[in-house]
């Protein structure tokens, strides 16, 4: 396709948006990503049940310019560690279809021009690649990090600057007009609709692309200055060789972001420090080696405690299946750590919580004594452990209890029970225990 054909095709983006096939592709993306209904309470399943009718209706509204994005439904999600609330927005399914289709059409125009140092919400790029890149920079001799925190980034994006930035690559003015309508569609909270004069909705299909378009200007400025950096969405770390250089970069970039990009730097959360003191995507770099950040380990410990409560009615097999469901994803993400002892610590904590629960199930110390002896513990060892003043948490870490319920028991006996209860195939193995000898 020559340059004239390409320009002609770009000028017809809105025409493609109005095609049923493109809208159907947008719906498939919405269905894949799942999600809750918007203010009209129409679910993805409801929309799919009358898909042809809904897509034709959307097409007619887009062609006639009678389409009007509905306000998004406000959802408040607690931030990790109880640090306030994260404000999310849930568009209606039909609006998500339009936005997902827009993303499919716009992404090929912007993606090839984004910085190689940007990793968030981009095809074929992920957090692990960003952490790997950061590690390479640190080990090259730049251990000091400028950790920039943009205060309420998504809520402060300047609409006019965003649309102007988009217009540099989007020649179809109808697309820009529609994006402006989506940005100003409003938010419904407790039945009341408020207008949106700035910001983009966290939780909409189009927002990740729009955020990258905004922050691409920051990427270009960093590249122009010859700085090494890694950015994932609004999480940006810049690496330099000395603390003085880091302070200079922090000051000058703060001015650039606030005056040029019309965003705000959170001075309290932003910092200049060595890499081992900075958290990036849940990891930290200790003398150039990748480790799980301390806060992430603490959060995992809290999650284990929540999944193994006292006095629960759930069977041990069900509890372990739920733990495993969470831990599969968690350990897969944090498998990048070069300190495997961190994962072993979590796994040991899980087993201790379960042993503590096994102790509690015996109801009395005499019953526990008999159980331990039945499971191969000598009478003397069992008596020394059980008839002490130790409570169940201390007992869970004694030699007698760990001998009665060794690591292999969680794989063989309990694992077999879970396979039977959940009708899993005989070859299924709980990934939680795969690393154990």
């Amino acid at each position: 396709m020559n340059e004239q054909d390409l320009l002609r095709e770009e000028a017809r983006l809105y025409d493609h948006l109005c095609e049923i096939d493109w809208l159907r592709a947008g719906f498939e993306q919405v269905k894949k990503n799942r999600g809750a209904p918007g203010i009209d309470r129409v679910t993805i399943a409801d929309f799919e049940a009358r898909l042809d009718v809904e897509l034709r209706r959307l097409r007619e509204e887009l062609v006639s310019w009678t389409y009007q994005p509905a306000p998004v439904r406000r959802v408040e999600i607690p931030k990790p560690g109880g640090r306030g609330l994260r404000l999310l927005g849930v568009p209606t399914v039909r609006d998500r279809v339009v936005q997902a289709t827009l993303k499919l059409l716009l992404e090929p125009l912007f993606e090839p021009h984004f910085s190689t140092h940007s990793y968030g919400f981009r095809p074929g790029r992920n957090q692990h690649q960003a952490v790997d890149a950061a590690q390479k920079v640190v080990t090259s001799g730049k251990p000091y990090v400028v950790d920039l925190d943009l205060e309420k980034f998504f809520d402060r994006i300047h609409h006019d600057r965003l649309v102007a930035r988009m217009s540099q690559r989007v020649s179809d003015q109808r697309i820009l007009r529609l994006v402006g309508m989506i940005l100003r569609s409003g938010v419904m909270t407790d039945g009341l609709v408020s207008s949106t004069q700035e910001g983009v909705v966290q939780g909409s299909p189009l927002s990740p692309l729009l955020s990258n378009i905004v922050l691409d200007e920051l990427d270009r400025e960093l590249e122009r200055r010859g700085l090494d950096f890694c950015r994932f969405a609004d999480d940006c770390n810049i690496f330099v060789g000395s603390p003085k250089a880091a302070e200079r970069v922090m000051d000058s970039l703060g001015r650039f972001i606030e005056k040029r990009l019309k965003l705000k730097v959170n001075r309290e959360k932003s910092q200049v420090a060595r890499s081992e003191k900075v958290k990036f995507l849940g990891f930290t770099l200790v003398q150039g080696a990748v480790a799980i950040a301390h806060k992430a380990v603490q959060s995992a410990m809290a999650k284990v405690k929540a999944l193994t409560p006292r006095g629960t009615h759930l069977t041990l097999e069900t509890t372990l299946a739920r733990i495993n469901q969470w831990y599969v994803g968690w350990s897969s993400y944090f498998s990048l750590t070069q300190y495997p002892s961190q994962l072993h610590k979590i796994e040991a904590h899980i087993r201790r919580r379960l042993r503590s629960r096994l102790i509690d199930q015996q109801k009395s110390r005499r019953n526990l004594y008999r159980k331990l002896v039945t499971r191969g513990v000598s009478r003397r060892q069992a008596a020394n452990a059980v008839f002490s003043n130790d409570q169940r948490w201390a007992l869970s870490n004694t030699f007698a209890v760990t001998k009665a319920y060794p690591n292999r028991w969680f794989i063989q006996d309990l694992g077999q029970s879970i396979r039977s209860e959940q009708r899993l195939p005989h070859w299924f193995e709980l990934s939680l225990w795969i690393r154990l000898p």
Side-chain angles (χ1 to χ4, degrees):
M1 185 179 293
N2 58 39
E3 186 174 349
Q4 288 186 341
D5 290 337
L6 186 61
L7 291 173
R8 192 179 300 112
E9 192 68 18
E10 290 177 3
R12 294 184 61 251
L13 278 181
Y14 192 83
D15 297 331
H16 291 316
L17 177 67
C18 298
E19 294 174 7
I20 293 294
D21 288 344
W22 275 103
L23 291 171
R24 192 180 302 276
F27 170 75
E28 291 301 324
Q29 291 296 312
V30 172
K31 181 180 177 181
K32 179 181 177 181
N33 294 330
R34 298 181 292 183
I39 62 171
D40 60 0
R41 297 298 172 183
V42 175
T43 66
I44 293 175
D46 295 334
F47 193 91
E48 187 176 25
R50 50 179 188 274
L51 183 60
D52 291 339
V53 173
E54 292 287 359
L55 294 184
R56 283 198 298 270
R57 178 185 165 198
L58 265 179
R59 178 188 179 280
E60 291 169 2
E61 291 181 9
L62 289 166
V63 170
S64 63
W65 280 97
T66 57
Y67 169 75
Q68 184 63 45
V72 300
R73 179 168 61 88
R74 173 66 76 210
V75 176
E76 296 179 347
I77 304 295
K79 291 183 178 180
R83 296 180 291 107
L85 297 172
R86 178 174 284 110
L87 302 180
L88 305 182
V90 183
T92 62
V93 175
R94 69 195 313 267
D95 289 340
R96 298 213 294 272
V97 170
V98 172
Q99 292 187 40
T101 309
L102 268 173
K103 182 175 181 289
L104 290 173
L105 291 167
L106 291 173
E107 197 167 57
L109 297 181
F110 290 94
E111 177 60 29
H113 304 283
F114 284 150
S115 170
T116 57
H117 303 285
S118 165
Y119 295 89
F121 309 123
R122 296 182 61 187
R125 288 177 163 250
N126 56 44
Q127 293 97 323
H128 283 189
Q129 292 173 338
V131 175
D132 283 337
Q135 181 186 24
K136 290 176 182 176
V137 176
V138 170
T139 55
S140 72
K142 296 185 177 180
Y144 290 92
V145 182
V146 179
D147 182 18
L148 285 172
D149 184 277
L150 301 181
E151 185 175 308
K152 296 182 178 179
F153 165 68
F154 284 92
D155 298 333
R156 294 182 183 275
I157 290 177
H158 195 281
H159 289 175
D160 291 341
R161 291 199 85 260
L162 170 57
V163 173
R165 188 79 179 174
M166 293 181 67
S167 68
Q168 296 176 9
R169 302 204 179 277
V170 178
S171 57
D172 192 333
Q173 295 297 311
R174 296 170 296 177
I175 291 289
L176 299 177
R177 177 185 171 188
L178 179 60
V179 170
M181 291 169 58
I182 292 171
L183 292 172
R184 296 188 299 271
S185 60
V187 176
M188 178 177 285
T189 307
D190 298 328
L192 299 176
V193 177
S194 56
S195 61
T196 45
Q197 302 302 318
E198 63 178 3
V200 301
V201 175
Q202 288 192 70
S204 75
L206 195 56
S207 294
L209 175 61
L210 298 182
S211 67
N212 272 333
I213 292 172
V214 170
L215 291 175
D216 183 63
E217 193 169 356
L218 173 61
D219 296 343
R220 297 306 170 192
E221 177 66 15
L222 293 172
E223 289 175 345
R224 187 186 69 79
R225 298 185 184 192
L227 295 170
D228 288 309
F229 69 97
C230 293
R231 181 177 67 79
F232 192 97
D234 58 330
D235 196 348
C236 184
N237 280 359
I238 302 144
F239 304 91
V240 293
S242 69
K244 286 187 177 180
E247 292 290 353
R248 287 196 300 270
V249 170
M250 173 68 83
D251 291 340
S252 61
L253 279 181
R255 292 192 297 271
F256 173 83
I257 289 170
E258 294 183 346
K259 292 182 179 179
R260 182 73 177 271
L261 302 185
K262 308 299 182 185
L263 299 171
K264 187 174 181 179
V265 176
N266 188 325
R267 304 289 179 178
E268 293 182 0
K269 294 183 179 180
S270 298
Q271 62 174 326
V272 169
R274 290 187 64 91
S275 62
E276 55 264 28
K277 300 293 184 180
V278 177
K279 179 171 68 72
F280 183 51
L281 302 176
F283 294 94
T284 189
L285 297 170
V286 181
Q287 296 181 342
V290 178
I292 305 173
H294 179 64
K295 285 186 178 180
V297 173
Q298 287 184 314
S299 296
M301 291 292 210
K303 181 68 174 179
V304 171
K305 184 176 181 179
L307 289 170
T308 54
R310 293 188 177 188
T312 179
H313 66 282
L314 299 175
T315 66
L316 194 64
E317 290 81 4
T318 300
T319 297
L320 185 53
R322 291 188 174 185
I323 293 171
N324 192 63
Q325 185 180 28
W326 159 73
Y327 192 71
V328 166
W330 192 91
S331 61
S332 175
Y333 178 76
F334 286 106
S335 63
L336 199 64
T337 179
Q338 293 174 298
Y339 293 88
S341 60
Q342 294 183 297
L343 296 175
H344 297 159
K345 178 181 179 181
I346 302 296
E347 293 165 4
H349 186 60
I350 292 172
R351 289 191 294 274
R352 187 174 178 184
R353 293 283 302 184
L354 294 175
R355 289 186 182 110
S356 177
R357 181 172 164 184
L358 287 165
I359 292 170
D360 190 55
Q361 287 178 345
Q362 301 309 312
K363 303 302 183 184
S364 71
R365 292 193 177 243
R366 188 169 296 277
N367 287 346
L368 176 60
Y369 169 78
R370 293 195 187 104
K371 188 71 172 181
L372 295 181
V373 171
T374 301
R375 295 196 58 81
V377 180
S378 71
R379 294 179 182 275
R380 181 178 179 181
Q381 289 174 338
N384 288 339
V386 173
F387 300 114
S388 65
N389 292 325
D390 291 339
Q391 299 302 309
R392 73 172 196 171
W393 182 244
L395 283 172
S396 67
N397 202 37
T398 60
F399 174 80
V401 174
T402 55
K403 182 178 179 180
Y405 298 100
N407 293 352
R408 65 177 180 274
W409 179 81
F410 291 94
I411 301 174
Q412 296 171 359
D413 297 352
L414 190 54
Q416 177 60 39
S417 297
I418 293 172
R419 285 191 289 269
S420 175
E421 181 179 286
Q422 300 192 7
R423 298 180 181 179
L424 297 171
H426 70 279
W427 46 262
F428 178 82
E429 188 67 87
L430 286 178
S431 63
L432 173 57
W433 320 114
I434 282 175
R435 281 186 296 275
L436 298 177

